[in-house]
């Protein structure tokens, strides 16, 4: 039996009825492909008035801070215990805040004068830290003032290490705003952007204080490679510092 | 020097160079390097008061300025010599009290002072005093500058300090010359 052609009117009605379904299926297909992102966003928009209040997020943040503090305390204790076992320097002692009352960051003597001295418990050789990192060492003392030799002063030599490669070196002040890091190893694998901290093996400074960032590396320097370090604490813009006591090191 | 001791103003003015060195006003500097305040104070004093007084004033201000900086390097010898020399010039050639001459003399003084510091830093390095941890304080070494440091930083500091000292001298030293001349006239 042969079927005749469909009546024209009925074909059009089928098309008009199927079209919305096709569109709907396409949209649902897109939703499926986007893994419900649009729905999630829409739900987030609708449910915004019912979200947990700021108090709950503050509780969460404070509990995270507490957890971080506890973890930090635990790590410090572990660090101190391990360093004691290895007979290395202890980390920072008591920190004495001090104001910078005079600065000579670019002259013949590159130094700061602080308003705390030997009467406040400051000792020669104490490390001085500013916002950003190590600034220098106490070089001269009076009862009420301390002179700090900056890391940029040509007399300054600080043991440091590059955290990423664990390579140690000596940071030399050369009178300019960027000291030079001379490495111990011939091939330090250091590259610009590496962070420089005080060396855990140093007897002069507390370990792992931020010092600066490697700006450029000269692999051909003789006898070992050198790097120019951009200091993280700018001495000519610092008004307050912390003097880290050596007593507990 | 007698005037320095007899007059409270003269004695008090001796405190100005170290106080200004400590204050280090950043708006009176070139490339962060300030003028040599010792030179700016000593020049008019020596020109007005003669070689002996100039040398003694140089000794006094040198002692004060050396107290501000740790280490062996000293500004004192050159300040004494400059005080003596400027005192002689003041006696023989009164025209050196003009503004332009004051600027040139101060610039020359700052240059000689800076050169003497550079030589001392270089000698300390050559003698190995800046090596190791054998310094006088807390394990820090003495200050000594290697030749690359002198080339990098030393010459720049020297040029900047000489320039700013020479630029400020016509104003500051002229005023001081007038002040000390007036004081001297009153004394007579």
């Amino acid at each position: 039996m042969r079927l005749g052609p469909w009546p024209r009117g009925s074909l059009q009605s089928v098309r008009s009825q199927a079209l919305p379904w096709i569109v709907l299926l396409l949209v649902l297909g897109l939703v499926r492909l986007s893994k419900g992102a649009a729905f999630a966003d829409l739900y987030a928009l609708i449910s915004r008035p019912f979200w947990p209040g700021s108090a709950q997020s503050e509780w969460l943040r404070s509990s995270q801070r507490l957890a971080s503090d506890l973890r930090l305390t635990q790590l410090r204790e572990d660090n101190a215990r391990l360093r004691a076992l290895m007979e290395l320097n202890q980390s920072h002692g008591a920190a004495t805040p001090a104001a910078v009352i005079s600065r000579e960051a670019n002259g013949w003597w590159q130094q700061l004068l602080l308003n705390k001295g030997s009467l406040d418990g400051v000792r020669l050789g104490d490390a001085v830290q500013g916002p950003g990192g190590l600034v220098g060492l106490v070089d001269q003392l009076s009862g009420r003032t301390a002179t700090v030799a900056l890391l940029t002063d040509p007399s300054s030599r600080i043991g440091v290490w590059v955290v990423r490669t664990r390579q140690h070196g000596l940071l030399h002040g050369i009178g300019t705003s960027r000291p030079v890091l001379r490495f111990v190893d011939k091939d330090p694998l250091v590259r610009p952007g590496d962070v420089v901290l005080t060396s855990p093996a140093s007897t002069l400074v507390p370990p792992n204080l931020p010092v600066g960032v490697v700006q450029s590396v000269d692999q051909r320097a003789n006898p070992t490679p050198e790097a120019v370090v951009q200091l993280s604490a700018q001495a000519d813009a610092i008004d307050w510092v912390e003097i880290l006591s050596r007593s507990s090191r | 020097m007698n005037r320095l001791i007899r007059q409270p103003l003269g004695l008090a003015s001796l405190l100005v160079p170290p106080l200004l060195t400590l204050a280090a006003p950043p708006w009176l500097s070139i490339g962060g390097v300030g003028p040599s305040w010792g030179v700016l104070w000593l020049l008019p004093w020596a020109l007005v008061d003669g070689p002996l007084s100039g040398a003694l004033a140089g000794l006094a201000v040198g002692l004060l300025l050396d107290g501000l900086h740790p280490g062996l390097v000293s500004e004192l010898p050159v300040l004494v010599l400059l005080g003596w020399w400027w005192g002689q010039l003041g006696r023989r050639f009164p025209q050196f009290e003009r503004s332009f001459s004051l600027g040139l003399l101060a610039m020359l003084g700052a240059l000689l002072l800076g050169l003497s510091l550079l030589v001392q830093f270089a000698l300390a390095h050559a003698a190995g005093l800046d090596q190791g941890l054998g310094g006088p304080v807390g394990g820090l070494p003495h200050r000594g500058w290697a030749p690359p440091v002198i080339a990098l930083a030393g010459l720049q500091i020297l040029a900047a300090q000489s320039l700013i000292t020479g630029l400020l001298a016509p104003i500051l030293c002229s005023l001081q010359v007038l002040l000390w001349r007036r004081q001297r006239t009153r004394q007579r």
Side-chain angles (χ1 to χ4, degrees), chain B residues 46-78:
Chain B
L47 283 175
V48 172
D49 228 31
L52 182 63
S53 176
L56 289 172
L59 179 71
V61 78
L63 285 170
L64 283 177
L65 290 176
D66 278 355
L68 302 180
H69 303 122
L72 299 172
V73 173
S74 170
E75 300 183 50
L76 196 142
V78 169

PDB file of all heavy atoms in Angstrom, chain B residues 46-78:
ATOM      1  N   ALA B  46      86.970  81.087  59.464  1.00  0.00           N
ATOM      2  CA  ALA B  46      88.421  81.200  59.240  1.00  0.00           C
ATOM      3  C   ALA B  46      88.757  82.467  58.461  1.00  0.00           C
ATOM      4  O   ALA B  46      89.752  83.133  58.763  1.00  0.00           O
ATOM      5  CB  ALA B  46      88.910  79.962  58.481  1.00  0.00           C
ATOM      6  N   LEU B  47      87.944  82.817  57.469  1.00  0.00           N
ATOM      7  CA  LEU B  47      88.223  84.016  56.676  1.00  0.00           C
ATOM      8  C   LEU B  47      88.215  85.267  57.556  1.00  0.00           C
ATOM      9  O   LEU B  47      89.024  86.173  57.377  1.00  0.00           O
ATOM     10  CB  LEU B  47      87.172  84.167  55.567  1.00  0.00           C
ATOM     11  CG  LEU B  47      87.325  83.255  54.344  1.00  0.00           C
ATOM     12  CD1 LEU B  47      86.149  83.433  53.399  1.00  0.00           C
ATOM     13  CD2 LEU B  47      88.624  83.512  53.614  1.00  0.00           C
ATOM     14  N   VAL B  48      87.316  85.309  58.528  1.00  0.00           N
ATOM     15  CA  VAL B  48      87.195  86.497  59.385  1.00  0.00           C
ATOM     16  C   VAL B  48      88.224  86.475  60.504  1.00  0.00           C
ATOM     17  O   VAL B  48      88.810  87.499  60.854  1.00  0.00           O
ATOM     18  CB  VAL B  48      85.758  86.575  59.969  1.00  0.00           C
ATOM     19  CG1 VAL B  48      85.656  87.675  61.024  1.00  0.00           C
ATOM     20  CG2 VAL B  48      84.761  86.826  58.865  1.00  0.00           C
ATOM     21  N   ASP B  49      88.488  85.285  61.045  1.00  0.00           N
ATOM     22  CA  ASP B  49      89.235  85.226  62.307  1.00  0.00           C
ATOM     23  C   ASP B  49      90.701  84.822  62.181  1.00  0.00           C
ATOM     24  O   ASP B  49      91.401  84.774  63.182  1.00  0.00           O
ATOM     25  CB  ASP B  49      88.513  84.251  63.251  1.00  0.00           C
ATOM     26  CG  ASP B  49      88.336  84.860  64.628  1.00  0.00           C
ATOM     27  OD1 ASP B  49      88.197  86.094  64.702  1.00  0.00           O
ATOM     28  OD2 ASP B  49      88.362  84.103  65.611  1.00  0.00           O
ATOM     29  N   GLY B  50      91.156  84.487  60.997  1.00  0.00           N
ATOM     30  CA  GLY B  50      92.584  84.212  60.842  1.00  0.00           C
ATOM     31  C   GLY B  50      92.957  82.748  60.899  1.00  0.00           C
ATOM     32  O   GLY B  50      92.119  81.900  61.224  1.00  0.00           O
ATOM     33  N   PRO B  51      94.250  82.452  60.580  1.00  0.00           N
ATOM     34  CA  PRO B  51      94.668  81.046  60.426  1.00  0.00           C
ATOM     35  C   PRO B  51      94.650  80.225  61.711  1.00  0.00           C
ATOM     36  O   PRO B  51      94.177  79.089  61.717  1.00  0.00           O
ATOM     37  CB  PRO B  51      96.085  81.157  59.864  1.00  0.00           C
ATOM     38  CG  PRO B  51      96.530  82.536  60.133  1.00  0.00           C
ATOM     39  CD  PRO B  51      95.313  83.401  60.233  1.00  0.00           C
ATOM     40  N   LEU B  52      95.158  80.811  62.799  1.00  0.00           N
ATOM     41  CA  LEU B  52      95.216  80.024  64.038  1.00  0.00           C
ATOM     42  C   LEU B  52      93.814  79.700  64.538  1.00  0.00           C
ATOM     43  O   LEU B  52      93.490  78.552  64.862  1.00  0.00           O
ATOM     44  CB  LEU B  52      96.012  80.790  65.100  1.00  0.00           C
ATOM     45  CG  LEU B  52      96.182  80.032  66.409  1.00  0.00           C
ATOM     46  CD1 LEU B  52      96.980  78.756  66.185  1.00  0.00           C
ATOM     47  CD2 LEU B  52      96.868  80.902  67.465  1.00  0.00           C
ATOM     48  N   SER B  53      92.971  80.744  64.572  1.00  0.00           N
ATOM     49  CA  SER B  53      91.594  80.532  65.002  1.00  0.00           C
ATOM     50  C   SER B  53      90.886  79.568  64.058  1.00  0.00           C
ATOM     51  O   SER B  53      90.098  78.723  64.498  1.00  0.00           O
ATOM     52  CB  SER B  53      90.870  81.878  65.036  1.00  0.00           C
ATOM     53  OG  SER B  53      89.534  81.681  65.367  1.00  0.00           O
ATOM     54  N   GLY B  54      91.181  79.701  62.750  1.00  0.00           N
ATOM     55  CA  GLY B  54      90.559  78.812  61.772  1.00  0.00           C
ATOM     56  C   GLY B  54      90.950  77.359  62.001  1.00  0.00           C
ATOM     57  O   GLY B  54      90.102  76.467  61.951  1.00  0.00           O
ATOM     58  N   ALA B  55      92.259  77.143  62.249  1.00  0.00           N
ATOM     59  CA  ALA B  55      92.719  75.769  62.479  1.00  0.00           C
ATOM     60  C   ALA B  55      92.101  75.189  63.753  1.00  0.00           C
ATOM     61  O   ALA B  55      91.681  74.021  63.780  1.00  0.00           O
ATOM     62  CB  ALA B  55      94.243  75.735  62.571  1.00  0.00           C
ATOM     63  N   LEU B  56      92.016  76.005  64.798  1.00  0.00           N
ATOM     64  CA  LEU B  56      91.432  75.513  66.052  1.00  0.00           C
ATOM     65  C   LEU B  56      89.929  75.258  65.897  1.00  0.00           C
ATOM     66  O   LEU B  56      89.398  74.286  66.433  1.00  0.00           O
ATOM     67  CB  LEU B  56      91.681  76.526  67.177  1.00  0.00           C
ATOM     68  CG  LEU B  56      93.135  76.610  67.640  1.00  0.00           C
ATOM     69  CD1 LEU B  56      93.322  77.758  68.615  1.00  0.00           C
ATOM     70  CD2 LEU B  56      93.563  75.297  68.283  1.00  0.00           C
ATOM     71  N   ALA B  57      89.271  76.149  65.130  1.00  0.00           N
ATOM     72  CA  ALA B  57      87.837  75.926  64.867  1.00  0.00           C
ATOM     73  C   ALA B  57      87.659  74.649  64.050  1.00  0.00           C
ATOM     74  O   ALA B  57      86.710  73.884  64.283  1.00  0.00           O
ATOM     75  CB  ALA B  57      87.257  77.123  64.130  1.00  0.00           C
ATOM     76  N   GLY B  58      88.572  74.410  63.096  1.00  0.00           N
ATOM     77  CA  GLY B  58      88.522  73.169  62.314  1.00  0.00           C
ATOM     78  C   GLY B  58      88.698  71.949  63.197  1.00  0.00           C
ATOM     79  O   GLY B  58      88.013  70.936  63.027  1.00  0.00           O
ATOM     80  N   LEU B  59      89.602  72.084  64.172  1.00  0.00           N
ATOM     81  CA  LEU B  59      89.815  70.989  65.124  1.00  0.00           C
ATOM     82  C   LEU B  59      88.542  70.728  65.931  1.00  0.00           C
ATOM     83  O   LEU B  59      88.112  69.570  66.097  1.00  0.00           O
ATOM     84  CB  LEU B  59      90.973  71.355  66.058  1.00  0.00           C
ATOM     85  CG  LEU B  59      91.329  70.355  67.139  1.00  0.00           C
ATOM     86  CD1 LEU B  59      91.973  69.131  66.518  1.00  0.00           C
ATOM     87  CD2 LEU B  59      92.279  70.977  68.165  1.00  0.00           C
ATOM     88  N   ALA B  60      87.922  71.832  66.391  1.00  0.00           N
ATOM     89  CA  ALA B  60      86.726  71.687  67.226  1.00  0.00           C
ATOM     90  C   ALA B  60      85.582  71.052  66.445  1.00  0.00           C
ATOM     91  O   ALA B  60      84.958  70.083  66.895  1.00  0.00           O
ATOM     92  CB  ALA B  60      86.311  73.064  67.760  1.00  0.00           C
ATOM     93  N   VAL B  61      85.311  71.581  65.257  1.00  0.00           N
ATOM     94  CA  VAL B  61      84.175  71.046  64.487  1.00  0.00           C
ATOM     95  C   VAL B  61      84.498  69.635  63.971  1.00  0.00           C
ATOM     96  O   VAL B  61      83.603  68.778  63.880  1.00  0.00           O
ATOM     97  CB  VAL B  61      83.783  72.020  63.345  1.00  0.00           C
ATOM     98  CG1 VAL B  61      84.697  71.936  62.158  1.00  0.00           C
ATOM     99  CG2 VAL B  61      82.356  71.767  62.906  1.00  0.00           C
ATOM    100  N   GLY B  62      85.771  69.374  63.683  1.00  0.00           N
ATOM    101  CA  GLY B  62      86.178  68.034  63.256  1.00  0.00           C
ATOM    102  C   GLY B  62      85.950  67.004  64.342  1.00  0.00           C
ATOM    103  O   GLY B  62      85.480  65.898  64.076  1.00  0.00           O
ATOM    104  N   LEU B  63      86.277  67.395  65.593  1.00  0.00           N
ATOM    105  CA  LEU B  63      86.055  66.470  66.707  1.00  0.00           C
ATOM    106  C   LEU B  63      84.567  66.163  66.858  1.00  0.00           C
ATOM    107  O   LEU B  63      84.173  65.009  67.091  1.00  0.00           O
ATOM    108  CB  LEU B  63      86.597  67.082  68.010  1.00  0.00           C
ATOM    109  CG  LEU B  63      88.122  67.074  68.164  1.00  0.00           C
ATOM    110  CD1 LEU B  63      88.546  67.918  69.364  1.00  0.00           C
ATOM    111  CD2 LEU B  63      88.618  65.638  68.333  1.00  0.00           C
ATOM    112  N   LEU B  64      83.744  67.195  66.736  1.00  0.00           N
ATOM    113  CA  LEU B  64      82.301  66.980  66.870  1.00  0.00           C
ATOM    114  C   LEU B  64      81.764  66.092  65.752  1.00  0.00           C
ATOM    115  O   LEU B  64      80.983  65.164  66.003  1.00  0.00           O
ATOM    116  CB  LEU B  64      81.570  68.324  66.832  1.00  0.00           C
ATOM    117  CG  LEU B  64      81.629  69.166  68.102  1.00  0.00           C
ATOM    118  CD1 LEU B  64      80.920  70.493  67.883  1.00  0.00           C
ATOM    119  CD2 LEU B  64      80.972  68.424  69.260  1.00  0.00           C
ATOM    120  N   LEU B  65      82.186  66.374  64.523  1.00  0.00           N
ATOM    121  CA  LEU B  65      81.662  65.600  63.381  1.00  0.00           C
ATOM    122  C   LEU B  65      82.158  64.157  63.404  1.00  0.00           C
ATOM    123  O   LEU B  65      81.423  63.232  63.047  1.00  0.00           O
ATOM    124  CB  LEU B  65      82.061  66.265  62.061  1.00  0.00           C
ATOM    125  CG  LEU B  65      81.352  67.590  61.769  1.00  0.00           C
ATOM    126  CD1 LEU B  65      81.885  68.217  60.495  1.00  0.00           C
ATOM    127  CD2 LEU B  65      79.847  67.390  61.649  1.00  0.00           C
ATOM    128  N   ASP B  66      83.410  63.959  63.843  1.00  0.00           N
ATOM    129  CA  ASP B  66      83.924  62.581  63.921  1.00  0.00           C
ATOM    130  C   ASP B  66      83.153  61.759  64.940  1.00  0.00           C
ATOM    131  O   ASP B  66      83.052  60.533  64.815  1.00  0.00           O
ATOM    132  CB  ASP B  66      85.415  62.597  64.285  1.00  0.00           C
ATOM    133  CG  ASP B  66      86.272  62.840  63.053  1.00  0.00           C
ATOM    134  OD1 ASP B  66      85.715  62.887  61.948  1.00  0.00           O
ATOM    135  OD2 ASP B  66      87.500  62.997  63.204  1.00  0.00           O
ATOM    136  N   GLY B  67      82.637  62.442  65.968  1.00  0.00           N
ATOM    137  CA  GLY B  67      81.862  61.723  66.987  1.00  0.00           C
ATOM    138  C   GLY B  67      80.565  61.147  66.452  1.00  0.00           C
ATOM    139  O   GLY B  67      79.981  60.254  67.056  1.00  0.00           O
ATOM    140  N   LEU B  68      80.107  61.661  65.315  1.00  0.00           N
ATOM    141  CA  LEU B  68      78.832  61.184  64.763  1.00  0.00           C
ATOM    142  C   LEU B  68      78.978  59.896  63.978  1.00  0.00           C
ATOM    143  O   LEU B  68      77.993  59.244  63.661  1.00  0.00           O
ATOM    144  CB  LEU B  68      78.232  62.246  63.828  1.00  0.00           C
ATOM    145  CG  LEU B  68      77.951  63.616  64.421  1.00  0.00           C
ATOM    146  CD1 LEU B  68      77.376  64.527  63.361  1.00  0.00           C
ATOM    147  CD2 LEU B  68      76.993  63.489  65.587  1.00  0.00           C
ATOM    148  N   HIS B  69      80.220  59.561  63.613  1.00  0.00           N
ATOM    149  CA  HIS B  69      80.417  58.410  62.733  1.00  0.00           C
ATOM    150  C   HIS B  69      81.360  57.399  63.365  1.00  0.00           C
ATOM    151  O   HIS B  69      82.416  57.781  63.871  1.00  0.00           O
ATOM    152  CB  HIS B  69      81.015  58.867  61.399  1.00  0.00           C
ATOM    153  CG  HIS B  69      80.177  59.900  60.722  1.00  0.00           C
ATOM    154  ND1 HIS B  69      80.661  61.141  60.379  1.00  0.00           N
ATOM    155  CD2 HIS B  69      78.882  59.890  60.363  1.00  0.00           C
ATOM    156  CE1 HIS B  69      79.691  61.834  59.818  1.00  0.00           C
ATOM    157  NE2 HIS B  69      78.596  61.106  59.794  1.00  0.00           N
ATOM    158  N   PRO B  70      80.977  56.140  63.342  1.00  0.00           N
ATOM    159  CA  PRO B  70      81.873  55.122  63.894  1.00  0.00           C
ATOM    160  C   PRO B  70      83.050  54.848  62.953  1.00  0.00           C
ATOM    161  O   PRO B  70      83.008  55.211  61.782  1.00  0.00           O
ATOM    162  CB  PRO B  70      80.967  53.895  63.996  1.00  0.00           C
ATOM    163  CG  PRO B  70      79.902  54.122  62.994  1.00  0.00           C
ATOM    164  CD  PRO B  70      79.743  55.593  62.819  1.00  0.00           C
ATOM    165  N   GLY B  71      84.090  54.237  63.498  1.00  0.00           N
ATOM    166  CA  GLY B  71      85.211  53.829  62.648  1.00  0.00           C
ATOM    167  C   GLY B  71      86.413  54.742  62.757  1.00  0.00           C
ATOM    168  O   GLY B  71      86.423  55.707  63.522  1.00  0.00           O
ATOM    169  N   LEU B  72      87.414  54.419  61.961  1.00  0.00           N
ATOM    170  CA  LEU B  72      88.699  55.119  62.053  1.00  0.00           C
ATOM    171  C   LEU B  72      88.781  56.346  61.158  1.00  0.00           C
ATOM    172  O   LEU B  72      89.611  57.220  61.365  1.00  0.00           O
ATOM    173  CB  LEU B  72      89.824  54.152  61.638  1.00  0.00           C
ATOM    174  CG  LEU B  72      89.978  52.891  62.477  1.00  0.00           C
ATOM    175  CD1 LEU B  72      90.985  51.959  61.822  1.00  0.00           C
ATOM    176  CD2 LEU B  72      90.424  53.242  63.881  1.00  0.00           C
ATOM    177  N   VAL B  73      87.965  56.399  60.137  1.00  0.00           N
ATOM    178  CA  VAL B  73      88.062  57.475  59.146  1.00  0.00           C
ATOM    179  C   VAL B  73      87.646  58.801  59.787  1.00  0.00           C
ATOM    180  O   VAL B  73      86.662  58.866  60.503  1.00  0.00           O
ATOM    181  CB  VAL B  73      87.170  57.148  57.935  1.00  0.00           C
ATOM    182  CG1 VAL B  73      87.114  58.305  56.966  1.00  0.00           C
ATOM    183  CG2 VAL B  73      87.700  55.912  57.242  1.00  0.00           C
ATOM    184  N   SER B  74      88.447  59.863  59.512  1.00  0.00           N
ATOM    185  CA  SER B  74      88.250  61.125  60.225  1.00  0.00           C
ATOM    186  C   SER B  74      88.208  62.311  59.260  1.00  0.00           C
ATOM    187  O   SER B  74      88.925  62.349  58.262  1.00  0.00           O
ATOM    188  CB  SER B  74      89.394  61.307  61.223  1.00  0.00           C
ATOM    189  OG  SER B  74      89.363  62.594  61.755  1.00  0.00           O
ATOM    190  N   GLU B  75      87.352  63.289  59.593  1.00  0.00           N
ATOM    191  CA  GLU B  75      87.297  64.536  58.825  1.00  0.00           C
ATOM    192  C   GLU B  75      88.237  65.580  59.420  1.00  0.00           C
ATOM    193  O   GLU B  75      88.448  66.643  58.829  1.00  0.00           O
ATOM    194  CB  GLU B  75      85.871  65.095  58.843  1.00  0.00           C
ATOM    195  CG  GLU B  75      84.839  64.171  58.237  1.00  0.00           C
ATOM    196  CD  GLU B  75      83.453  64.793  58.202  1.00  0.00           C
ATOM    197  OE1 GLU B  75      83.308  65.930  57.731  1.00  0.00           O
ATOM    198  OE2 GLU B  75      82.508  64.140  58.681  1.00  0.00           O
ATOM    199  N   LEU B  76      88.763  65.284  60.599  1.00  0.00           N
ATOM    200  CA  LEU B  76      89.504  66.279  61.375  1.00  0.00           C
ATOM    201  C   LEU B  76      90.747  66.846  60.669  1.00  0.00           C
ATOM    202  O   LEU B  76      90.876  68.079  60.591  1.00  0.00           O
ATOM    203  CB  LEU B  76      89.879  65.658  62.723  1.00  0.00           C
ATOM    204  CG  LEU B  76      90.323  66.604  63.811  1.00  0.00           C
ATOM    205  CD1 LEU B  76      89.791  66.134  65.152  1.00  0.00           C
ATOM    206  CD2 LEU B  76      91.820  66.707  63.857  1.00  0.00           C
ATOM    207  N   PRO B  77      91.646  66.023  60.136  1.00  0.00           N
ATOM    208  CA  PRO B  77      92.885  66.591  59.577  1.00  0.00           C
ATOM    209  C   PRO B  77      92.628  67.624  58.482  1.00  0.00           C
ATOM    210  O   PRO B  77      93.224  68.696  58.474  1.00  0.00           O
ATOM    211  CB  PRO B  77      93.624  65.369  59.012  1.00  0.00           C
ATOM    212  CG  PRO B  77      92.995  64.193  59.625  1.00  0.00           C
ATOM    213  CD  PRO B  77      91.623  64.555  60.002  1.00  0.00           C
ATOM    214  N   VAL B  78      91.719  67.290  57.567  1.00  0.00           N
ATOM    215  CA  VAL B  78      91.472  68.205  56.454  1.00  0.00           C
ATOM    216  C   VAL B  78      90.775  69.475  56.942  1.00  0.00           C
ATOM    217  O   VAL B  78      91.072  70.575  56.456  1.00  0.00           O
ATOM    218  CB  VAL B  78      90.652  67.494  55.350  1.00  0.00           C
ATOM    219  CG1 VAL B  78      90.163  68.489  54.328  1.00  0.00           C
ATOM    220  CG2 VAL B  78      91.513  66.469  54.668  1.00  0.00           C
TER     221      VAL B  78
END
